[in-house]
Amino acid sequence: MNDLRGDELVAFLYADAAGLNRGRAVPLADLEQRLATGVGWVPADQAITALGPLGEPNPWGALGDLRLVPAIETQTRVDLWPTVPPLHFYLCDARTLDGETWDACPRGLLRSALDRLRDEAGLSLWSAFEHEFVLGGHVPTPPPAFTMEAFRLAAPFGEQLAAALRQAGHELDTFLPEYGANQFEVTCAPREGIAAADEASIVRELVREVARRQGWRATFAPILDPDGSGNGVHIHFSFRDGSGAPVTYDAKRPGRLSLVAGRFAAGVLRHLPAICAVAAPTTVSYVRLVPHRWSAGWSCLGEWNRETVLRIPETISFGGVDPAVQLNLEFRAADGACSPHFTLALLVIAGLAGIGEDLEPPPLITGDPEALSESERAGLGVTRPPASLTEALEAFDADELFAAEVPAELREGYGAMKRREMEILENVPSDEACRRYASVY
């Protein structure tokens, strides 16, 4: 009998600066010979906007060629559905034709930043991306938030997602129906270094595939309705030393945050406006970055505080769990349109600068920053994040640290792409802009 699923293809995917995984596929029979040399790619593809058109002018134009070379450890193969081919892909590094890492590759930038964190500060980064997304097409009316009704009406989505993650070698931490209409959240266990950003890109594809197999659609767009809830990507991170011991926790310091972790946090807050250009990368991202949306309405460090860009989550004191292992920092300004690799790279670059400059750890904000007077906020260094993508891009262009540490082609290509995106949406109402992004992410 003929196999109606056809011949298996393996996709070589590039996690690009627009937060999308693009690429091309090869027959499974050719995989072994392709692992070393990859497939061809075009530099200007890095400047393709999420909405379609190419950013112009970009640094590459019609010139040049690259190779997408698979990172073997990212192999993902899920075979859960008997009537469709397996989902089989690798994430790739973009390399020049002599095999060197391409300057404009976000994955390469992250690898370099993590190497510097290890070499200069003696630290390894462990992180996990907490994804929120909206599932569409499975119910006519959204069920109440967080309820078993919401779980069961989405079945077998959660169960198949758990199986897909397991087959792909990832450890599901939690899956839950979230606060927003038809919104869900998925988290996986923390991973070291670049593996965390790889996992973030892989999880997005698995979520989309599981939804697709049910005839539904999942979107990670920052917000679907200007008056509704947004989809954040909260990045939790902590540090370990060369022996593998956790070094984020110090019971004697404010918030139990170690000095080195506090200095890292200070670096992130100092460069936050520029980081937002990549972490919150769409025109509608800034609809959710306002006070009282439980997103990241204020640029400061909070203890157990969901109004702040950086938060120290609570730890538990029972069950025999060591708080030194639990304690982490949570970056709350990112959303589902961001490039996980580019975003994490900027966080590391900024945090490492905070360590290198011996910055004073930021004060802890325990209440609502909006309840403070303007003079109190000024004294504590509490500010608002950028109010628009335009503001964030201006900050990115003006940031001297990123000008020195992020290759010029990546900065220029990213800026061209995002400014073209803003041109496309210049006269588009917010609700229509939300709809367009939802159709992409």
Side-chain angles (χ1 to χ4, degrees):
M1 179 182 294
N2 291 333
D3 185 351
L4 298 179
R5 301 200 302 175
D7 291 343
E8 184 169 336
L9 297 177
V10 185
F12 287 10
L13 299 180
Y14 183 61
D16 72 4
L20 296 171
N21 296 325
R22 310 181 198 257
R24 58 182 64 186
V26 301
L28 179 61
D30 297 342
L31 177 60
E32 186 174 352
Q33 69 185 54
R34 290 283 193 172
L35 289 177
T37 58
V39 296
W41 200 241
V42 177
D45 287 351
Q46 184 76 288
I48 299 175
T49 68
L51 301 177
L54 192 68
E56 293 286 1
N58 66 71
W60 309 289
L63 303 178
D65 286 284
L66 299 168
R67 302 296 292 183
L68 297 186
V69 180
I72 304 301
E73 67 275 16
T74 69
Q75 182 180 22
T76 300
R77 189 178 188 275
V78 175
D79 191 7
L80 290 177
W81 305 280
T83 59
V84 296
L87 178 70
H88 194 176
F89 64 85
Y90 291 80
L91 298 182
C92 297
D93 288 309
R95 297 188 186 177
T96 61
L97 298 188
D98 59 4
E100 297 299 318
T101 299
W102 183 42
D103 278 352
C105 178
R107 194 170 190 271
L109 178 67
L110 176 56
R111 184 187 298 107
S112 174
L114 291 167
D115 287 346
R116 286 186 53 219
L117 182 67
R118 181 196 63 233
D119 295 342
E120 296 175 22
L123 300 175
S124 63
L125 184 78
W126 287 74
S127 52
F129 287 66
E130 182 182 296
H131 300 270
E132 294 173 341
F133 61 92
V134 170
L135 189 62
H138 68 298
V139 289
T141 303
F146 305 114
T147 62
M148 180 58 79
E149 178 81 351
F151 269 117
R152 296 305 294 167
L153 287 176
F157 179 88
E159 294 77 4
Q160 290 195 358
L161 179 58
L165 287 165
R166 175 178 49 76
Q167 280 197 11
H170 299 277
E171 183 181 346
L172 176 66
D173 183 28
T174 61
F175 172 73
L176 68 147
E178 255 284 2
Y179 178 73
N182 294 325
Q183 187 181 49
F184 292 84
E185 177 185 289
V186 59
T187 63
C188 291
R191 304 190 76 162
E192 182 178 8
I194 201 169
D198 289 341
E199 181 173 72
S201 292
I202 291 167
V203 166
R204 292 178 184 179
E205 293 303 330
L206 296 184
V207 167
R208 293 183 182 114
E209 179 70 10
V210 172
R212 191 180 295 122
R213 292 306 119 220
Q214 304 301 321
W216 307 334
R217 188 173 186 278
T219 179
F220 294 83
I223 192 163
L224 276 65
D225 178 347
D227 297 321
S229 298
N231 288 324
V233 173
H234 302 154
I235 306 173
H236 294 256
F237 56 92
S238 62
F239 308 95
R240 300 187 189 181
D241 64 18
S243 69
V247 293
T248 313
Y249 178 86
D250 184 340
K252 298 177 181 179
R253 292 190 56 82
R256 301 169 300 162
L257 194 67
S258 69
L259 180 59
V260 70
R263 286 175 170 162
F264 189 100
V268 169
L269 291 177
R270 172 179 283 188
H271 297 278
L272 178 78
I275 293 170
C276 281
V278 173
T282 73
T283 61
V284 301
S285 295
Y286 297 84
V287 176
R288 62 175 287 273
L289 293 185
V290 296
H292 301 150
R293 277 187 177 267
W294 288 26
S295 56
W298 296 94
S299 177
C300 52
L301 172 64
E303 186 175 23
W304 309 352
N305 191 336
R306 291 177 174 84
E307 286 292 323
T308 61
V309 163
L310 279 178
R311 181 175 83 106
I312 305 172
E314 64 282 356
T315 60
I316 61 173
S317 56
F318 62 91
V321 183
D322 184 354
V325 175
Q326 297 176 64
L327 195 78
N328 65 86
L329 283 164
E330 178 186 26
F331 180 76
R332 298 176 56 80
D335 63 48
C338 79
S339 159
H341 298 84
F342 200 177
T343 301
L344 196 57
L346 295 189
L347 290 174
V348 173
I349 291 168
L352 183 57
I355 294 172
E357 296 172 34
D358 293 335
L359 295 185
E360 187 67 22
L364 286 178
I365 308 300
T366 56
D368 184 353
E370 196 164 42
L372 300 172
S373 68
E374 287 189 21
S375 62
E376 287 173 323
R377 287 196 292 266
L380 293 168
V382 176
T383 60
R384 291 271 292 110
S388 67
L389 182 57
T390 299
E391 265 187 49
L393 285 170
E394 289 173 352
F396 185 63
D397 289 342
D399 192 288
E400 294 181 1
L401 174 66
F402 294 146
E405 300 293 342
V406 179
E409 283 194 349
L410 179 54
R411 287 187 287 107
E412 293 167 12
Y414 185 79
M417 173 182 66
K418 286 299 164 184
R419 288 186 169 87
R420 180 70 179 102
E421 207 168 289
M422 289 190 296
E423 289 173 6
I424 294 169
L425 296 173
E426 186 174 6
N427 297 312
V428 174
S430 293
D431 57 347
E432 172 62 14
C434 288
R435 187 196 66 77
R436 293 193 192 183
Y437 282 121
S439 70
V440 174
Y441 290 107

